[in-house]
């Protein structure tokens, strides 16, 4: 039996007796109530009316504490975990004039409504049964007994009986007048508070509820870049997990509530406000016959700072990126840079020179794995191995280009890339292999809190880039594949991570001199980096037993995105007498690698005029 309501009792205040008196008077009763040998979780809770001694105060009755049964827990310690006295309050919440007070039994006492409570009432024939208002602590006690029954049902039998009673004590209203424990004990019963989490909710990663370390708030999965698409949110959508409050009560949550999508940081939003166009002027120059320098200069002199206050120091940074290439000999060279992807020195870069967007440099033709270090530094070099062939390599370290705008900050990635490149008069072929190391992340995704943590992931990638010039057209294309292996430094909800495979490709065809000898026209198809296959095994808490043992279920998340983003774009660029025109028109299918019946067309044009 979960709860027994005692709307009866012996008159006389508990203060009138000693422990010895009570034990001598009620030895068998105490044995039954104590339930020795029964686990706390299974012990029946006894709820007692505190007594109506206040109604006889004018006759000298002591009502400062509950009557005998209501006060038993004060003298008999083995009853303290599962016995409660209930005092009555009026509709305005104040103690009823007829009610005993909690007094010495304040640690085992609650307040509940007891004045004018509509109750079932039975009379002898010929009168019939009916409902009528009654007053007394015998009306207040059933509110607490009913509250215990409701909580047992609300939490699906997962809470032990003594936990339920303790929960009522902990969540009772102790503010205002209810702070006076000599009258109201633990306070006014509050079932609304009792059915809500108390304190921070926690994530269990072991079968024990003791010493939980991971808060729900700090437990999350976040992603950068488009690679994962909607894979996480779809894999989590039909799954639940249980979190636990500070008393160990279970609360059901959607697993996908722990997924944090791309949340822009306040600093990044401020930068967009104070420098909305983010203009970058790219300057390429030769310092001498063996040295090439490229600078990316922020164009902050277009009047934007006259209208908007600069809210981010980075906006005032004139030099956004640079690169330097120096010949060591006729057959060898080195290069370095900062703030830009090292893909500048690999593959086929001619197309980037022919179609340079005046708003900045695009990295869509280079290796997508280099993007994870594009906002950083690199150093590399190469050597000729024939008239038309070179072997080169680079070490890079930095962050993904999207990291700047994210709330979640990840440690810098690092890696190596090696390339064999062969050029001829009208064609170019590049073979690339490389390694990307990401501390605490996996292709830009990160796990925090109860999910555990990633020590380091290693992505081995390879790619092919090729181009060929025909008599009237120029074509270029690339395809890249990667395989990622992860090491978990701490297991949590994530038990294991299987290898991840990813890919990207692009294909373009271009023509110079379409309408005049200086303009350029092209068409390209691009698929950004996409996760092709991945599996994560989770061990998710789904409940608990009344004996405080956490229950888990095994989940296997297949993380393939629902769609494949493909961008098709027409590009036209033309220098004018006093500036430059750059325009593009295209469409996006399954943007963000999320399946959609809609095709998103777009058009953009930028006309730069020199004054």
């Amino acid at each position: 039996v979960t709860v027994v309501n005692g709307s009866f009792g012996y008159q006389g205040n508990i203060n009138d007796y000693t422990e010895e008196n009570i034990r001598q008077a009620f030895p068998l009763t105490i044995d039954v109530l104590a339930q020795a040998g029964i686990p706390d979780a299974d012990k029946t809770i006894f709820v007692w009316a505190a007594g109506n001694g206040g109604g006889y105060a004018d006759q000298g009755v002591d009502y400062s504490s509950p009557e005998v049964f209501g006060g038993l827990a004060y003298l008999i310690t083995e009853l303290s975990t599962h016995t409660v006295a209930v005092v009555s309050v009026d509709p305005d919440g104040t103690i009823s004039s007829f009610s005993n007070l909690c007094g010495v039994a304040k640690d085992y006492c609650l307040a509940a409504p007891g004045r004018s409570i509509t109750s079932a009432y039975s009379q002898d024939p010929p009168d019939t049964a009916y409902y009528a208002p009654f007053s007394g602590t015998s009306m207040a006690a059933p509110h607490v007994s009913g509250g215990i029954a409701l909580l047992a049902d609300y939490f699906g039998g997962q809470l032990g009986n003594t936990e339920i009673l303790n929960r009522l004590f902990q969540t009772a209203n102790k503010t205002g007048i209810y702070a006076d424990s000599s009258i109201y004990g633990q306070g006014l019963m509050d079932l609304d508070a009792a059915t809500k989490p108390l304190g921070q909710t926690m994530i269990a990663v072991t079968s024990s509820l003791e010493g939980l370390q991971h808060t729900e708030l700090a437990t999350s999965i976040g992603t950068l870049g488009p690679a994962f698409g909607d894979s996480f949110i779809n894999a989590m959508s039909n799954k639940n997990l249980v979190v636990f409050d500070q008393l160990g009560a279970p609360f059901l949550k959607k697993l996908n509530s722990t997924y944090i999508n791309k949340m822009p940081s306040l600093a990044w939003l401020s930068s967009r406000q104070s420098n909305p166009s983010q203009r970058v002027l790219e300057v390429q120059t030769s310092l001498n016959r063996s040295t090439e320098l490229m600078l990316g200069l922020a164009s902050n002199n277009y009047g934007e700072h006259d209208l908007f206050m600069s809210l981010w120091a980075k906006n005032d940074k004139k030099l956004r990126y640079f690169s330097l290439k120096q010949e060591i000999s006729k057959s060898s060279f080195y290069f370095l840079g900062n703030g830009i992807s090292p893909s500048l020195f690999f593959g086929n870069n001619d197309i980037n020179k022919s179609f340079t967007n005046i708003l900045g440099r695009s990295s869509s033709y280079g290796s997508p794995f280099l993007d994870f270090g594009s906002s950083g530094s690199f150093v590399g070099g190469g050597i000729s191995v024939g008239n038309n062939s070179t072997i080169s390599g680079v070490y890079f370290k930095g962050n993904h280009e999207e990291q700047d705008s994210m709330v979640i900050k990840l440690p810098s990635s690092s890696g190596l890339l090696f390339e064999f490149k062969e050029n001829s008069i009208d064609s170019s072929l590049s073979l690339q292999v490389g390694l990307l190391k990401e501390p605490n992340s996996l292709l830009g995704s990160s796990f925090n809190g109860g999910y555990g943590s990633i020590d380091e992931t290693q992505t081995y990638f390879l790619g092919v880039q090729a181009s060929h010039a025909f008599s009237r057209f120029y074509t270029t294309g690339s395809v890249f594949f990667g395989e990622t292996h992860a090491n978990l430094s701490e297991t949590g909800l994530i038990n294991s991570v299987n290898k991840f495979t990813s890919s990207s490709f692009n294909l373009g065809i271009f023509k110079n001199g379409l309408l005049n000898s200086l303009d350029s026209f092209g068409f390209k198809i691009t698929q950004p980096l996409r996760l092709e296959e991945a599996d994560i095994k989770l061990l998710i808490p789904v409940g608990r037993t009344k004996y405080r043992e956490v229950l888990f279920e095994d989940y296997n998340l297949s993380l393939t995105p629902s769609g494949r983003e493909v961008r098709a774009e027409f590009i036209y660029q033309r220098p004018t007498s006093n500036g430059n025109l750059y325009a593009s028109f295209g469409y996006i299918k399954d943007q963000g690698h999320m399946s959609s019946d809609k095709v998103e067309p777009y058009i953009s044009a930028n006309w730069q005029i020199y004054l």
Side-chain angles (χ1 to χ4, degrees):
V1 176
T2 300
V3 59
V4 170
N5 184 79
S7 286
F8 63 91
Y10 282 91
Q11 292 183 355
N13 197 286
I14 192 65
N15 291 327
D16 297 334
Y17 303 94
T18 65
E19 179 182 354
E20 184 180 7
N21 297 152
I22 296 298
R23 289 192 182 276
Q24 287 180 350
F26 303 108
L28 298 180
T29 301
I30 292 172
D31 283 346
V32 172
L33 297 181
Q35 305 166 75
I38 296 177
D40 282 352
D42 295 322
K43 285 181 178 175
T44 298
I45 301 170
F46 288 91
V47 180
W48 301 103
N52 302 321
Y56 305 96
D58 58 347
Q59 300 177 32
V61 171
D62 179 9
Y63 63 98
S64 63
S65 294
E67 293 179 346
V68 175
F69 281 169
L72 278 179
Y74 169 64
L75 295 177
I76 311 301
T77 56
E78 58 264 41
L79 306 183
S80 61
T81 60
H82 55 281
T83 300
V84 57
V86 184
V87 300
S88 170
V89 295
D90 288 347
D92 64 359
T94 60
I95 192 74
S96 301
S97 58
F98 56 77
S99 178
N100 283 51
L101 309 181
C102 286
V104 297
K106 61 184 180 181
D107 292 338
Y108 325 103
C109 188
L110 280 173
R115 169 90 65 179
S116 299
I117 305 301
T118 301
S119 307
Y121 184 74
S122 178
Q123 286 188 330
D124 293 332
D127 295 322
T128 57
Y130 65 100
Y131 290 92
F134 284 86
S135 298
T137 55
S138 289
M139 301 294 106
H143 279 86
V144 174
S145 297
I148 291 170
L150 286 170
L151 290 183
D153 181 66
Y154 183 81
F155 289 105
Q158 297 181 73
L159 293 187
N161 293 345
T162 53
E163 280 187 284
I164 295 174
L165 180 57
N166 182 56
R167 187 169 192 83
L168 284 182
F169 288 157
Q170 296 290 331
T171 59
N173 185 353
K174 298 175 177 61
T175 62
I177 61 173
Y178 306 118
D180 189 345
S181 60
S182 66
I183 298 176
Y184 300 98
Q186 294 298 304
L188 179 67
M189 185 179 71
D190 187 344
L191 282 178
D192 183 56
T195 54
K196 293 178 179 177
L198 182 64
Q200 287 197 89
T201 50
M202 309 292 288
I203 303 290
V205 297
T206 67
S207 60
S208 174
L209 281 174
E210 310 308 323
L212 298 180
Q213 298 180 351
H214 304 292
T215 66
E216 180 190 4
L217 188 63
T219 297
S220 63
I221 291 178
T223 60
L224 278 177
F228 286 87
D230 55 0
S231 58
F232 271 114
I233 204 72
N234 286 343
M236 294 175 165
S237 61
N238 296 320
K239 297 176 175 60
N240 299 317
L241 84 159
V242 164
V243 299
F244 301 93
D245 72 357
Q246 70 179 42
L247 295 179
F251 292 88
L252 194 66
K253 297 292 183 72
K254 293 292 185 182
L255 185 60
N256 59 22
S257 67
T258 62
Y259 176 73
I260 299 178
N261 206 351
K262 303 167 187 176
M263 299 174 62
S265 68
L266 180 61
W268 182 80
L269 292 173
S270 300
S271 77
R272 304 297 294 188
Q273 173 72 8
S274 56
N275 186 14
S277 72
Q278 303 290 298
R279 298 173 65 90
V280 176
L281 175 64
E282 188 170 288
V283 177
Q284 300 183 41
T285 184
S286 296
L287 301 182
N288 52 54
R289 285 188 295 178
S290 61
T291 307
E292 296 179 3
L293 177 66
M294 186 181 75
L295 303 175
L297 303 176
S299 302
N300 293 334
N301 56 345
Y302 288 86
E304 290 172 346
H305 287 349
D306 297 334
L307 301 175
F308 301 98
M309 181 174 62
S310 181
L311 301 177
W312 202 18
K314 187 172 180 179
N315 287 332
D316 298 321
K317 183 180 178 183
K318 189 73 174 178
L319 180 62
R320 293 298 174 85
Y321 59 83
F322 79 91
S323 69
L324 175 72
K325 182 178 181 181
Q326 171 77 53
E327 290 184 3
I328 301 174
S329 66
K330 290 183 179 181
S331 61
S332 62
F333 58 91
Y334 74 87
F335 53 87
L336 53 87
N338 179 266
I340 190 171
S341 171
S343 60
L344 178 70
F345 294 97
F346 294 92
N348 174 35
N349 299 300
D350 294 336
I351 193 63
N352 283 331
K353 296 175 181 177
S354 300
F355 289 87
T356 301
N357 187 333
I358 59 176
L359 291 179
R361 173 170 290 276
S362 170
S363 61
S364 61
Y365 286 94
S367 169
F369 301 100
L370 293 181
D371 291 346
F372 290 95
S374 61
S375 179
S377 304
F378 61 87
V379 59
I383 185 172
S384 298
V385 292
N387 293 332
N388 300 315
S389 303
T390 59
I391 294 177
S392 54
V394 66
Y395 170 79
F396 59 91
K397 185 173 184 178
N399 295 100
H400 194 283
E401 56 190 355
E402 287 191 10
Q403 179 75 283
D404 219 17
S405 64
M406 297 294 108
V407 170
I408 300 174
K409 301 300 181 184
L410 300 175
S412 296
S413 302
S414 61
L416 295 168
L417 183 143
F418 297 97
E419 177 191 58
F420 172 78
K421 184 176 181 179
E422 184 169 339
N423 291 321
S424 64
I425 297 176
D426 55 5
S427 64
S428 173
L429 176 65
S430 165
L431 303 177
Q432 300 177 19
V433 295
L435 169 66
L436 171 67
K437 290 186 175 182
E438 299 173 83
N440 308 128
S441 65
L442 193 160
L443 288 181
S445 67
S446 59
F447 313 137
N448 297 287
Y451 276 107
S453 58
I454 303 172
D455 182 19
E456 181 182 77
T457 61
Q458 297 180 343
T459 299
Y460 302 91
F461 61 89
L462 57 87
V464 178
Q465 288 182 268
S467 63
H468 185 78
F470 297 93
S471 59
R472 296 184 180 181
F473 299 96
Y474 180 89
T475 61
T476 183
S478 70
V479 59
F480 285 88
F481 291 96
E483 184 173 291
T484 304
H485 301 262
N487 296 316
L488 298 178
S489 59
E490 179 185 1
T491 59
L493 302 183
I494 296 179
N495 245 7
S496 65
V497 178
N498 294 332
K499 63 183 181 182
F500 284 30
T501 58
S502 52
S503 73
S504 74
F505 69 83
N506 74 72
L507 177 66
I509 181 168
F510 308 92
K511 176 176 173 55
N512 292 323
L514 180 67
L515 301 179
N516 61 45
S517 59
L518 298 178
D519 70 353
S520 304
F521 178 77
F523 173 75
K524 67 175 182 178
I525 297 177
T526 305
Q527 179 217 286
L529 188 65
R530 178 183 186 269
L531 199 64
E532 297 296 336
E533 185 178 4
D535 290 291
I536 290 181
K537 291 185 178 180
L538 301 180
L539 196 62
I540 299 297
V542 293
R544 51 158 289 187
T545 68
K546 62 167 62 177
Y547 309 108
R548 298 181 65 83
E549 180 184 7
V550 182
L551 303 175
F552 292 88
E553 283 188 11
D554 290 318
Y555 288 158
N556 189 54
L557 298 187
S558 178
L559 296 181
T560 305
S562 65
R564 183 180 300 275
E565 177 179 326
V566 175
R567 292 174 176 256
E569 182 179 26
F570 292 95
I571 305 170
Y572 181 75
Q573 182 171 286
R574 176 178 179 175
T576 63
S577 59
N578 60 346
N580 188 61
L581 173 66
Y582 181 98
S584 65
F585 168 76
Y587 75 88
I588 306 173
K589 179 184 180 297
D590 293 348
Q591 186 170 9
H593 298 313
M594 294 181 284
S595 180
S596 174
D597 294 332
K598 294 178 62 179
V599 173
E600 301 288 345
Y602 64 91
I603 185 170
S604 67
N606 191 292
W607 191 0
Q608 185 174 14
I609 302 175
Y610 303 109
L611 301 178

